[in-house]
């Protein structure tokens, strides 16, 4: 220890009138040391051995010494004639009845305050116990309920802390009645000072501590008695420079033999009082300790002379060393005798609440009640941990990791008219192309590994985990540093085209090549670079302030603290309002466990999310993207939209062809059926977790089994986001291949970042009979060592991480009387989770500047000058922007685009904008940032540069999977006989089946009745004469035949009218047509219908 919490001062103020301070010198009573000390006065400046202070009115301010160093301030109390210091210490001018009455008044006030806190504490415990002990099997606790319970536990913990800080008695020490179970009396420890004053003024005897402390130099008995629990403070009180040593034996102490001593503190740390440095020791057991002083090596080189300070001047050394003395012999050594407290020194704990905590007959409250209270709180903490786990698991079972909803502003006649994962666009994507690095993205809800949260308005920046930082540097900040992603270069053919109109014409051709994916027209991949942006989240260690998740030029979380954020959210939840700037995010908090070594202190965590990006190493052909077949999104449009039509709107959500990069070829077909590793896995595996891009973690060996890549060829690098892996040994189902989560679309990365909340577990698969991994011989020996221990109290052996293979530590653990003491390894891990969000193609517009318009960085002289303080700046040649900047990024010649797309209300990209170039010439420009779709380009059209590819939470739900299966059966164009059989079977039975009579430019529909369908399938009747519905003012009489082998319906013959007259057999046999006696044909209709098909 190098400091202590309470510092005594010997200052007082007797009376103050203006700047006149009189009657303030003399003895003062110190409540911290329970002793009297002396102060001298000179005007309004008071002096003591602890430094000088100045008295101004009621304010007492240190001007130097220890008081100024520890930063205390004093307040003069004229009623009590005392100074109250900000660290809780009180100094009273006199010692007598008045001071004792003042102390009693303080005790009474503090006791009343403690009683009030306990009343509130009992109410909270009762309410939480009633809530959390419910055994009802109803719906799991909602996130809102869990947050309420967490808040209640926070309040409860705060009240227990306040209870622990209540005074125990006249000694004025805090919390000692809470430290020892089942006791009503405690010893209140003291601080005892030892120093080396050169000129003695008094003698210290026994354990008495007087004004000058216990000075070892002139302590006649050389023994100082203190009590177990006391803190011994060594001070060097003048310019006498020396080290402090503790002798190992009494003999070494008697002979000043420093070869058998331990250096406790050197002279540079053990400085004078004025430097406020000291050395402290607290003793927890009775016994003798021997201390002595020696000159430091820097002051004296002769070993004999170094020891001289320790020799007693009344008994100087003789012999060969006698003549080497310097004359400084002072006997600077002392024996500290630590004794147990006596009965008379014990202090009685105060009465907190005898009636409520089982204390009868007015006896003092024992701390057993407090221990029971702590046990109750610990149980509530465990219940909250389980409630959080249960809620997360319920969310996982309801769907996969992915986006849930966006903010709704409308509804309609059918459910699908209300937004799901998109409102103004998929995840509410929109344009902020007027900015240099900002990607427009609104609020949305999401789930990551069972954690449900809602974002603020995102509008994220084009940044990536800084690739230049080492793992240690990357982990030095929270959130970790990010760096901007630079846009691609401008094609040299554009820069070399000549005039601005010629450059515009050439740039159109490059956009045309990208839009049509024609590398022959222009080899575009080097100039249209894909970037994968992703949503990332983790449980972070608690902090008072809310960490801004990621940089946005337009939005930030509008809350000063987590409490402020939760209060604002609850207020909004209560009235259904919204934050006008959409700057509030629902980020849950959780109790993740109980801190190691305690049963009472919860390990809290706060949810953290961010959106970041990572440049993709290879080009991504846009033919890899396909609009997801989500009918509710297609039906929600102004008119029902085909997937192709939907793809030309911001509402489209895309999926990527799963073929791996090595298997990809232009025109590759989409494979139907289950897959394992997909192309998205390759993209995500390049994204680092919170250890940074340069990190590598080959350390996931939980429960003794090392994680490997899916093919089992190498150890899995968990520093990057993966979802598929394998184990070196088969599991209970005979498999080695795994996927993150129980049934989830989840990418996870391990980290060692200290701000990410860790979880620890212990176990030993080597000895549980279920693992095929051969036990390590060292573990086997330790298992035997633990098994020899027969008591719970003895089962406490531990091993550090450096001593344990493939784990962060190990221990002997008591498993109950039947099992006894067993050996367990322990693993501590930190993880984060991610899902892909969108692929953004960066274009040459980010760097193309044909008008040479100056760009002004923030905090430069030209930044504010870009925009005049008028509402129409940039809208006319007379009020142009003076250059460009991050949020006014207009440099693209307006001639590149034909027109502006119809923007949504969040779009800030603007139309034609006037900007002044470096030469003062006003140019007509358009936004140069990133678009969802560019405005229409002459001869090219609108070019899409953003492809949302995020997973949807509901897609992991069984109901959704069933609905998608039905949609495929109804909508797919597959003519596979097996699919048709499933359709016929699903649509048959009590409903029959409907056939489409196709060809001829229009269709008719024919109903096969349920009984006819049964006859056809059974083979009892396979030919039926039917009449179609009426289309184009006519109907047909048709003869249909069911082919039981091919399981399909065929058209045998067709009449041109609905007279229910069959086509003659002779016409059918000829395979031709006839107009009389019936206008009919074999195998087709006279107006061109020629086949039967299901109605899709």
């Amino acid at each position: 220890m190098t400091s202590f919490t309470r510092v005594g001062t010997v200052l007082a103020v007797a009376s103050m009138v203006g700047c006149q301070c009189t009657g303030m010198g003399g003895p003062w009573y110190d409540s911290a040391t329970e002793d009297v000390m002396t102060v001298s006065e000179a005007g309004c400046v008071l002096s003591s051995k602890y430094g000088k202070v100045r008295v101004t009115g009621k304010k007492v301010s240190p001007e130097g010494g220890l008081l100024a160093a520890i930063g205390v301030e004093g307040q003069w109390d004229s009623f009590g004639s005392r100074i109250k210091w900000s660290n809780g210490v009180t100094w009273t001018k006199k010692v007598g009845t008045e001071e004792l009455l003042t102390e009693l008044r303080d005790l009474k006030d503090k006791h009343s305050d403690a009683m009030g806190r306990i009343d509130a504490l009992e109410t909270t415990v009762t309410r939480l116990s009633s809530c959390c002990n419910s055994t009802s099997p109803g719906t799991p606790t909602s996130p809102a309920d869990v947050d309420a319970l967490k808040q209640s536990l926070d309040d409860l913990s705060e009240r227990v802390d306040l209870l622990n800080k209540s005074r125990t008695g006249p000694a004025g020490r805090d919390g000692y009645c809470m430290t020892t179970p089942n006791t009503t009396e405690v010893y209140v420890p003291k601080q005892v000072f030892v120093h080396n004053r050169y000129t003695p003024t008094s003698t210290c005897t026994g354990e008495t501590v007087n004004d000058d402390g216990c000075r070892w130099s002139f302590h006649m008995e050389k023994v100082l008695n203190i009590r177990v629990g006391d803190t011994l403070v060594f001070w060097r009180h003048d310019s006498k420079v020396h080290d402090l040593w503790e002798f190992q034996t009494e003999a070494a102490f008697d002979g000043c033999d420093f070869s058998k001593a331990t250096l406790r503190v050197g002279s540079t740390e053990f400085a004078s009082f004025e430097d406020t440095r000291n050395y402290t020791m607290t003793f927890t057991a009775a016994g003798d300790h021997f201390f002595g002083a020696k000159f430091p090596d820097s002051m004296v080189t002769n070993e004999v002379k170094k020891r001289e300070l320790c020799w007693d001047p009344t008994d100087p050394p003789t012999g060969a060393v006698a003549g080497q003395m310097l004359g400084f012999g002072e006997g600077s050594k002392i024996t500290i005798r630590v004794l147990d407290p006596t009965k008379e020194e014990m202090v009685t704990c105060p009465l907190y609440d005898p009636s409520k905590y089982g204390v009868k007959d007015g006896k003092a409250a024992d701390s057993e009640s407090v221990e029971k209270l702590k046990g109750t709180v610990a149980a509530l903490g465990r219940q909250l941990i389980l409630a959080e786990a249960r809620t997360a698991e319920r969310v996982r079972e309801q769907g996969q990791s992915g986006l849930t909803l966006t903010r709704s502003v409308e509804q309609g006649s059918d459910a699908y008219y209300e937004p799901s994962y998109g409102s103004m666009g998929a995840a509410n994507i929109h344009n902020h192309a007027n900015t240099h690095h900002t990607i427009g993205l609104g609020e949305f809800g999401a789930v990551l590994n069972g954690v449900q949260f809602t974002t603020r308005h995102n509008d994220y920046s084009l940044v990536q985990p800084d690739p230049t930082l080492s793992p240690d540097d990357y982990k030095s900040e929270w959130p970790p540093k990010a760096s901007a992603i630079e846009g691609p270069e401008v094609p040299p053919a554009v820069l070399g085209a000549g005039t601005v109109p010629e450059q515009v014409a050439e740039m159109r051709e490059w956009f045309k090549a990208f839009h049509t994916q024609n590398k022959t027209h222009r080899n575009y991949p080097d100039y249209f670079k894909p970037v994968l942006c992703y949503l990332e989240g983790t449980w972070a260690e608690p902090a008072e302030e809310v960490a801004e998740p990621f940089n946005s030029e337009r939005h930030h979380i509008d809350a000063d603290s987590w409490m402020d954020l939760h209060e604002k959210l609850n207020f909004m939840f209560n009235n259904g309002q919204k934050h006008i700037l959409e700057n509030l995010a629902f980020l849950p908090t959780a109790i993740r466990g109980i801190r190691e070594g305690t049963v009472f202190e919860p390990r809290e965590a706060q949810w953290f999310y961010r959106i970041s990006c990572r440049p993709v190493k290879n080009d991504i052909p846009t033919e890899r993207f396909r609009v997801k077949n989500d009918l509710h999104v297609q039906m929600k449009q102004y008119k029902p939209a085909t997937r192709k039509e939907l793809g030309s709107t911001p509402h489209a959500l895309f999926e990527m062809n799963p073929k791996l990069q090595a298997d990809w070829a232009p025109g590759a077909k989409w494979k139907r059926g289950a897959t394992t590793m997909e192309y998205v896995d390759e993209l995500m595996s390049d994204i680092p977790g919170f250890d940074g891009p340069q990190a590598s973690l080959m350390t996931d060996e939980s429960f003794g089994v090392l994680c490997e890549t899916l093919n089992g060829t190498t150890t899995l690098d968990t520093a990057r986001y993966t979802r598929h892996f394998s184990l070196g040994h088969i599991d209970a189902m005979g498999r080695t291949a795994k996927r993150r989560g129980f049934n989830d679309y989840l990418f996870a990365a391990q980290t060692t970042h200290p701000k990410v909340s860790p979880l620890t577990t212990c176990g030993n698969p080597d000895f549980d009979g279920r693992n095929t991994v051969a036990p390590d011989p060292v573990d086997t020996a330790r298992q035997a060592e633990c098994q020899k221990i027969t008591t719970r109290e003895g089962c406490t052996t531990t091993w550090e991480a450096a001593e344990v293979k493939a784990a962060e530590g190990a221990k002997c653990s008591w498993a109950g009387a039947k099992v006894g003491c067993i050996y367990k390894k322990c693993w501590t891990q930190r993880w984060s989770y991610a899902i892909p969000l969108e692929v953004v193609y960066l274009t040459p517009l980010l760097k193309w500047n044909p008008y040479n318009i100056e760009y002004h960085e923030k905090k430069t002289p030209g930044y504010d000058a870009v925009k005049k303080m008028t509402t129409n700046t940039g809208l006319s040649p007379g009020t142009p922007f003076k250059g460009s900047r991050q949020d006014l990024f207009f440099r693209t010649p307006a001639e590149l685009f034909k027109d502006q797309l119809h923007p949504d209300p969040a779009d800030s990209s603007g139309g034609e904008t006037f900007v002044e170039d470096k030469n003062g010439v006003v140019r007509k420009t358009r936004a140069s940032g990133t678009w969802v779709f560019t405005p229409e380009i002459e001869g090219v059209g609108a070019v899409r540069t953003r492809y949302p590819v995020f997973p949807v939470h509901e897609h992991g739900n069984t109901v959704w999977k069933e609905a998608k299966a039905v949609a495929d059966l109804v909508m797919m164009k597959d003519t596979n006989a097996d699919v048709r059989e499933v359709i016929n079977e699903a649509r048959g039975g009590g409903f029959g089946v409907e056939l489409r009579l196709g060809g001829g430019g229009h269709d008719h529909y024919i109903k096969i009745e349920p009984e006819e369908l049964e006859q056809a399938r059974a083979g009892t009747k396979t030919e039926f004469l039917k009449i179609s519905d009426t289309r184009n003012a006519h109907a047909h009489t048709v003869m249909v035949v069911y082919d039981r082998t091919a399981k399909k319906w065929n058209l045998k013959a067709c009449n041109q009218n609905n007279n229910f007259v069959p086509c003659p057999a002779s016409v059918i046999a000829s395979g031709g047509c006839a107009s009389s006696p019936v206008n009919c044909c074999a195998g087709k209709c006279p107006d061109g219908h020629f086949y039967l098909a299901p109605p899709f």
Side-chain angles (χ1 to χ4, degrees):
M1 298 175 62
T2 59
S3 64
F4 52 90
T5 57
R6 289 197 172 186
V7 178
T9 63
V10 285
L11 309 174
V13 181
S15 64
M16 292 175 287
V17 179
C19 201
Q20 300 300 316
C21 308
T22 60
M24 297 158 65
W28 287 70
Y29 177 77
D30 177 359
S31 67
T33 61
E34 301 177 3
D35 207 345
V36 179
M37 304 186 80
T38 302
V39 171
S40 62
E41 67 171 88
C44 291
V45 177
L46 311 178
S47 300
S48 77
K49 63 178 66 181
Y50 302 112
K52 296 180 179 181
V53 300
R54 179 174 294 278
V55 180
T56 307
K58 291 189 176 183
K59 184 178 181 182
V60 185
S61 304
E63 291 192 338
L66 182 59
L67 299 178
I70 65 174
V72 297
E73 293 288 339
Q75 189 76 15
W76 168 245
D77 179 6
S78 58
F79 176 78
S81 297
R82 58 186 176 179
I83 295 175
K84 294 182 178 179
W85 295 98
S86 56
N87 63 350
V89 175
T90 301
W91 304 100
T92 308
K93 178 65 175 67
K94 299 178 181 179
V95 180
T97 304
E98 182 180 341
E99 285 68 38
L100 295 177
L101 287 174
T102 300
E103 285 291 310
L104 289 175
R105 292 190 196 102
D106 280 350
L107 284 176
K108 181 179 178 181
D109 292 342
K110 291 181 179 292
H111 177 68
S112 298
D113 183 52
M115 293 287 289
R117 291 196 298 269
I118 292 176
D119 286 339
L121 181 61
E122 185 198 38
T123 301
T124 303
V125 172
T126 301
R127 178 164 59 86
L128 286 177
S129 297
S130 173
C131 169
C132 295
N133 290 337
S134 171
T135 56
S136 169
T139 303
T141 308
S142 69
D145 293 335
V146 173
D147 283 345
L149 289 176
K150 292 173 185 173
Q151 184 59 51
S152 297
L153 184 63
D154 289 342
D155 294 342
L156 184 60
S157 298
E158 182 178 354
R159 294 179 186 278
V160 171
D161 289 340
L162 291 173
L163 180 62
N164 282 340
K165 291 179 181 178
S166 299
R167 291 174 61 116
T168 62
R173 298 289 178 155
D174 290 346
Y176 287 103
C177 284
M178 306 301 126
T179 59
T180 307
N182 305 317
T183 184
T184 59
E185 291 186 330
V186 294
Y187 172 72
V188 181
K190 301 180 180 64
Q191 284 180 328
V192 181
F193 300 91
V194 177
H195 60 88
N196 67 326
R197 194 165 182 82
Y198 184 65
T199 304
T201 59
S202 62
T203 300
C204 176
T205 59
E207 64 275 4
T208 305
V209 183
N210 291 321
D211 179 30
D212 291 314
C214 296
R215 300 185 316 281
W216 56 10
S217 300
F218 295 93
H219 185 256
M220 305 307 294
E221 300 174 359
K222 298 292 185 182
V223 176
L224 173 61
N225 295 333
I226 65 173
R227 300 293 180 254
V228 173
D230 283 348
T231 298
L232 189 66
V233 182
F234 286 94
W235 271 348
R236 185 169 64 80
H237 232 232
D238 59 8
S239 60
K240 190 73 67 178
V241 178
H242 62 80
D243 298 335
L244 174 66
W245 296 71
E246 182 176 2
F247 295 99
Q248 300 170 7
T249 65
E250 186 173 4
F253 169 78
D254 291 338
C256 292
D257 184 359
F258 287 90
S259 66
K260 298 178 181 179
T262 300
L263 178 65
R264 289 301 181 191
V265 62
S267 60
T268 55
E269 291 81 20
F270 186 42
S272 66
F273 169 75
E274 287 72 17
D275 291 328
T276 73
R277 283 176 281 188
N278 54 73
Y279 180 71
T280 63
M281 298 183 70
T282 300
F283 300 92
T284 58
D288 287 349
H289 299 264
F290 308 100
F291 295 91
K294 186 175 76 164
F295 287 122
D297 294 345
S298 59
M299 181 176 177
V300 179
T301 58
N302 185 288
E303 289 299 322
V304 175
K305 294 177 181 179
K306 289 180 187 178
R307 298 163 54 194
E308 181 181 350
L309 192 63
C310 176
W311 281 320
D312 191 331
T314 62
D315 185 21
T318 60
V321 300
Q324 301 182 38
M325 295 183 62
L326 298 175
F328 292 125
E330 292 191 357
S332 292
K333 59 181 180 178
I334 193 169
T335 299
I336 304 299
R337 182 155 295 156
V338 184
L339 305 172
D340 289 321
T342 64
K343 176 69 175 177
E344 291 74 20
E345 293 172 319
M346 302 298 283
V347 176
T348 300
C349 292
L351 284 171
Y352 287 120
D353 197 337
S355 63
K356 296 179 180 178
Y357 289 90
V359 180
K360 300 179 181 179
D361 304 323
K363 293 181 180 179
D366 62 73
S367 58
E368 180 181 5
S369 302
V370 177
E371 292 302 314
K372 289 180 179 178
L373 182 60
K374 288 183 177 181
T376 300
V377 176
L380 292 176
R382 288 191 295 272
Q383 182 67 23
L384 284 173
I385 295 169
L386 294 175
E388 176 69 33
R390 182 177 65 175
T391 300
E393 186 64 8
R394 181 63 172 170
V395 172
R396 293 185 192 104
E397 291 179 359
Q398 290 175 333
Q400 64 186 15
S401 293
L403 270 63
T404 54
L405 297 170
T406 54
R407 185 178 291 277
S408 173
V409 297
E410 59 189 6
Q411 61 283 327
S413 57
D414 295 290
Y416 50 75
Y417 284 110
E418 187 165 346
S420 58
Y421 57 73
S423 178
M424 307 306 295
N428 281 352
I429 63 172
H430 52 274
N431 290 324
H432 286 309
N434 62 298
T435 65
H436 191 186
H437 293 291
T438 300
I439 306 296
L441 191 70
E443 303 170 283
F444 58 76
V447 169
L448 285 179
N449 194 23
V451 180
Q452 189 169 355
F453 62 102
T454 305
T455 73
R456 60 160 164 82
H457 192 117
N458 290 288
D459 284 355
Y460 64 93
S461 297
L462 274 171
V463 296
Q464 62 178 328
D466 194 331
T468 66
L469 297 180
S470 68
D472 287 341
D473 290 337
Y474 193 79
K475 294 182 294 183
S476 65
E477 293 188 15
W478 185 258
K481 286 184 178 179
S483 61
I485 298 177
E486 294 295 326
E489 298 298 325
V490 181
V494 173
L495 298 176
T499 65
V500 171
E502 291 171 329
Q503 288 191 42
V504 168
E506 180 63 20
M507 184 63 81
R508 287 197 189 105
E509 300 305 315
W510 286 88
F511 270 89
K512 181 177 182 180
F514 170 72
H515 187 52
T516 60
Q517 297 284 283
N518 188 341
K519 295 180 183 179
T520 303
H521 184 68
R522 297 288 189 277
N523 193 15
Y524 64 84
D526 286 340
Y527 308 104
F528 292 80
K529 291 288 191 177
V531 171
L532 178 62
C533 298
Y534 55 96
L535 176 68
E536 184 177 32
T538 189
W539 286 109
E541 292 284 10
E544 180 68 23
E545 296 183 356
V546 182
E548 190 61 45
F550 52 90
N551 181 54
S552 172
E553 291 290 334
R554 299 173 56 85
H555 295 275
H556 66 279
I557 293 180
D558 186 15
D560 300 327
S561 65
W562 280 88
M563 183 63 71
D564 185 33
L565 176 62
H566 291 159
E567 286 179 353
K568 288 179 178 177
L569 286 169
N570 285 329
F571 186 85
M572 295 297 187
F573 294 157
N574 185 55
N575 62 17
Q577 257 284 10
K578 66 170 285 187
H579 192 276
I580 191 66
L581 297 178
E582 299 182 354
N583 281 345
L584 294 179
F586 174 67
L587 304 176
T589 58
I591 295 178
R592 301 252 289 163
I594 303 298
R595 292 195 179 273
E596 186 177 358
T598 74
V599 296
F600 177 71
E601 186 179 355
R603 177 178 286 280
E604 298 176 87
Q606 299 160 340
W607 184 251
F608 172 87
Y609 90 96
R610 71 174 180 177
I611 296 175
S612 191
C613 302
R614 179 80 166 166
V616 178
K617 294 179 179 179
N618 301 306
D619 178 46
I620 303 179
T622 56
E623 67 171 310
R624 268 199 183 269
F625 299 102
R626 180 174 71 180
V627 177
K628 286 185 71 71
N629 184 18
D630 283 349
L631 293 177
H632 74 286
V633 181
Q634 294 175 249
M635 293 295 291
K636 183 185 180 297
Q637 305 309 304
Y638 178 73
K639 70 175 186 66
T642 65
R643 289 164 68 180
K644 182 177 180 181
E645 292 170 336
L646 188 66
S648 61
T649 74
H651 300 277
L653 176 62
F654 293 85
E655 54 189 345
M656 288 190 286
N657 193 310
K659 281 188 176 294
L660 300 179
Q661 182 69 28
D663 301 328
W664 175 258
K669 292 185 177 180
W670 287 73
K671 177 185 177 182
R672 295 190 64 87
T675 60
T676 51
M677 286 288 290
E678 298 181 348
Y679 180 58
V680 68
D681 291 280
E682 292 185 309
L683 297 180
M684 293 294 291
S685 66
D686 189 50
I687 294 175
F690 285 103
D691 273 22
Q694 296 185 21
S696 179
L697 294 174
M698 309 287 191
T699 57
D700 188 4
E701 298 183 72
S702 304
F703 299 102
V705 181
L706 184 65
C707 281
E708 300 173 343
T709 55
L710 187 61
N711 58 15
T713 56
T714 59
T715 302
L716 184 69
D717 184 0
T718 57
R720 283 165 170 73
Y721 284 105
T722 58
R723 60 172 174 170
H724 290 284
F725 62 97
S726 67
L727 298 177
H729 301 272
I730 61 173
D731 61 14
M733 295 296 290
R735 297 182 176 91
T736 59
K738 311 294 174 189
R739 191 173 73 159
R740 296 284 177 196
F742 189 76
N743 189 345
D744 202 351
Y745 186 104
L746 176 68
F747 295 87
Q750 196 174 2
T751 179
T752 58
H753 200 298
K755 288 296 184 180
V756 176
S757 175
L759 285 180
T760 299
T761 191
C762 299
N764 195 354
D766 290 352
F767 301 103
D768 65 6
R770 297 191 299 270
N771 198 341
T772 58
V773 180
D776 185 277
V778 175
D779 292 333
T780 303
R782 290 173 180 167
Q783 169 73 348
E785 180 181 342
C786 292
Q787 289 176 336
K788 293 178 182 178
I789 301 172
T790 58
T791 63
R792 179 194 295 270
E793 293 74 17
C795 189
T796 58
T797 306
T798 60
W799 291 269
E800 298 298 326
E803 304 175 88
V804 182
K805 180 180 179 181
E808 280 71 49
K811 63 181 180 179
C812 291
S813 177
W814 187 254
K818 291 185 177 180
V819 178
C821 188
I822 62 174
Y823 175 67
K824 286 187 175 182
K825 289 182 176 179
C826 297
W827 298 270
T828 298
Q829 293 186 343
R830 295 171 166 88
W831 288 84
S832 59
Y833 318 103
I835 54 174
L837 203 56
E838 64 175 324
V839 173
V840 179
Y841 286 90
L842 305 186
T843 75
L845 298 187
L846 290 169
K847 289 190 174 180
W848 188 36
N849 188 14
Y851 286 136
N852 198 21
I853 294 172
E854 188 171 6
Y855 184 84
H856 298 277
E857 297 285 355
K858 282 187 175 182
K859 299 181 180 180
T860 60
Y863 184 84
D864 291 333
V866 170
K867 182 179 181 180
K868 295 180 180 179
M869 299 308 293
T870 61
T871 56
N872 62 345
T873 304
L875 299 183
S876 69
T879 58
F881 291 126
K882 305 291 185 179
S884 67
R885 65 187 196 188
Q886 154 63 24
D887 59 335
L888 298 170
F889 194 51
F890 297 96
R891 303 195 304 187
T892 300
E895 294 79 11
L896 179 66
F897 301 134
K898 282 182 61 177
D899 198 3
Q900 166 75 346
L901 291 173
H902 298 293
D904 66 56
D907 195 331
S908 64
S909 303
E912 293 181 348
T913 303
F914 294 90
V915 182
E916 201 174 83
D917 66 16
K918 281 187 176 181
N919 299 318
V921 179
V922 176
R923 305 293 188 176
K924 187 166 62 175
T925 67
R926 296 295 294 273
S928 301
T930 301
W931 303 79
V932 180
F933 293 91
T934 67
E936 186 175 352
I937 299 174
E938 181 72 38
V940 180
V943 178
R944 182 167 203 133
T945 63
R946 293 175 63 185
Y947 290 81
V949 293
F950 53 82
V952 177
H953 173 61
E954 289 291 339
H955 287 189
N957 189 288
T958 301
V959 175
W960 183 275
K961 295 172 183 176
E962 185 73 8
K964 295 300 291 182
V966 172
D968 274 357
L969 288 174
V970 173
M971 301 293 292
M972 75 168 64
K973 297 180 181 180
D974 197 335
T975 58
N976 181 281
D978 293 328
V979 174
R980 289 200 308 272
E981 178 65 16
V982 172
I983 296 173
N984 290 335
E985 182 180 35
R987 302 190 67 209
F991 298 95
V993 68
E994 191 175 52
L995 302 176
R996 178 165 58 90
L997 181 61
H1002 62 279
D1003 296 334
H1004 293 271
Y1005 291 87
I1006 302 164
K1007 176 66 182 297
I1008 305 296
E1009 300 298 333
E1011 59 271 18
E1012 294 173 330
L1013 182 60
E1014 290 181 7
Q1015 291 172 342
R1017 288 175 175 171
T1020 56
K1021 182 179 179 180
T1022 57
E1023 188 173 302
F1024 303 90
L1025 190 64
K1026 306 294 293 183
I1027 296 179
S1028 74
D1029 66 347
T1030 300
R1031 300 286 176 102
N1032 283 12
H1034 69 277
H1036 295 278
T1037 300
V1038 295
M1039 185 176 293
V1040 297
V1041 178
Y1042 183 67
D1043 185 341
R1044 295 181 66 218
T1045 302
K1047 297 180 180 180
K1048 63 178 291 187
W1049 293 89
N1050 294 317
L1051 180 62
K1052 186 174 183 180
C1054 175
N1055 294 1
Q1056 189 58 36
N1057 53 52
N1058 60 350
N1059 55 12
F1060 208 67
V1061 175
C1063 190
S1066 58
V1067 176
I1068 296 174
S1070 68
C1073 298
S1075 57
S1076 177
V1078 179
N1079 184 10
C1080 67
C1081 294
K1084 64 179 182 178
C1085 298
D1087 61 352
H1089 305 299
F1090 64 93
Y1091 65 89
L1092 296 175
F1096 45 73

